Amino acid sequence: MKIRINTTIFLLLLIFLNGCGLGQWEISELYSQKIEGTSKILYKYDAWGGRDSNANGFIILDSTETFEIDLINSLSFYNLSDIPNRNKIEGITHDCYNSCEEKYYKTKPIFSPMKIDNSKSEGLNIETKIYQYRGLSEKDRGLRGDFIFEKFVETKDSIYFFNLNEVKYVDNKHLDELKLKKGEVYIKENENNEITSLVINQITLNPNNKEIIETVTYFLSPKNKIKSSDFSERGIFKQVKVTK
């Protein structure tokens, strides 16, 4: 895991840059997910400004609003830990807790959340679990697999992928099928609205004490033509085409 600077410092820095005339953001990626049971939409964005300044994160807007980069109202986590719903949106982030840079190996890794922040955005409850940097980084497994799949079946909370061909193996073992939970599923499309790939982040927490077990990422590409409309909107981010 690459070291991420403290979220508060990062936002203050970007706000400063915005005030210095560097606030003309060019959106490189934008995804949206409807929040079940509400009129709200959760956006995931990545954008670039002057002097190579980068802004990325999540933000909630009403479905009647047009998306714009809004650093102040961006959510403070960088990964979802569950499927967003009208009751609560849960995410994770980290802070140093004396484990960044040269202090990294001088500290003991802690895997339970150091702090849990509760806030609101657009009237929705936001829960942010803050982990020690070393503890979170040691549970980051990175890319776990890159597959081509022939078909899929979607349930309320998961997606099953079948007839897999490995572009990159998971632990050098062949898999015939793969079950991944929904929440942070990103669907990429081409100009014909056909799916080119899916990027799926998996955050696994102990259900009792919220100790982080692992974070992994999977890449999957369809063997046959599939439309994003073949997937539901629950727990899935779909690509928003950005006009440049």
Side-chain angles (χ1 to χ4, degrees), residues 106-122:
K106 297 179 181 179
T107 57
K108 179 182 178 181
I110 300 171
F111 304 116
S112 297
M114 306 295 289
K115 182 180 179 183
I116 297 178
D117 280 343
N118 292 287
S119 59
K120 283 187 176 291
S121 179
E122 290 288 319

Side-chain angles (χ1 to χ4, degrees), residues 147 163-166 169-170 173-178 218:
F147 302 95
N163 301 339
L164 300 173
N165 290 321
E166 293 87 354
Y169 285 87
V170 175
K173 296 178 181 179
H174 172 73
L175 296 177
D176 292 318
E177 63 181 66
L178 182 65
Y218 292 86

Side-chain angles (χ1 to χ4, degrees), residues 49-85:
R51 299 182 186 174
D52 293 328
S53 53
N54 177 239
N56 60 79
F58 297 90
I59 189 169
I60 299 173
L61 294 175
D62 192 81
S63 58
T64 60
E65 297 179 272
T66 301
F67 175 83
E68 291 183 354
I69 302 295
D70 184 351
L71 303 178
I72 294 176
N73 290 314
S74 290
L75 303 180
S76 59
F77 53 74
Y78 52 74
N79 280 114
L80 294 172
S81 55
D82 207 344
I83 298 174
N85 60 67

Side-chain angles (χ1 to χ4, degrees), residues 115-228:
K115 182 180 179 183
I116 297 178
D117 280 343
N118 292 287
S119 59
K120 283 187 176 291
S121 179
E122 290 288 319
L124 299 177
N125 296 317
I126 311 297
E127 181 180 279
T128 304
K129 301 175 187 67
I130 305 171
Y131 291 85
Q132 178 207 48
Y133 171 68
R134 181 175 178 181
L136 186 58
S137 66
E138 291 198 1
K139 294 295 185 177
D140 188 347
R141 310 304 183 200
L143 176 63
R144 189 68 183 274
D146 191 347
F147 302 95
I148 296 173
F149 67 94
E150 186 172 347
K151 60 181 181 178
F152 73 94
V153 173
E154 183 181 343
T155 65
K156 182 179 179 181
D157 298 323
S158 302
I159 307 174
Y160 293 79
F161 297 94
F162 299 98
N163 301 339
L164 300 173
N165 290 321
E166 293 87 354
V167 177
K168 183 172 183 177
Y169 285 87
V170 175
D171 300 329
N172 293 319
K173 296 178 181 179
H174 172 73
L175 296 177
D176 292 318
E177 63 181 66
L178 182 65
K179 176 188 176 183
L180 298 176
K181 66 178 183 179
K182 298 196 291 187
E184 206 171 340
V185 176
Y186 298 94
I187 292 179
K188 296 177 179 286
E189 301 177 345
N190 60 20
E191 61 276 4
N192 297 319
N193 297 319
E194 297 167 347
I195 295 175
T196 57
S197 65
L198 295 91
V199 179
I200 304 180
N201 294 328
Q202 300 282 280
I203 307 296
T204 305
L205 304 178
N206 182 307
N208 297 317
N209 59 12
K210 304 305 178 184
E211 179 178 306
I212 190 154
I213 297 172
E214 67 174 5
T215 72
V216 295
T217 300
Y218 292 86
F219 293 161
L220 296 108
S221 301
K223 182 178 180 180
N224 307 306
K225 291 183 179 179
I226 301 176
K227 300 279 190 178
S228 63

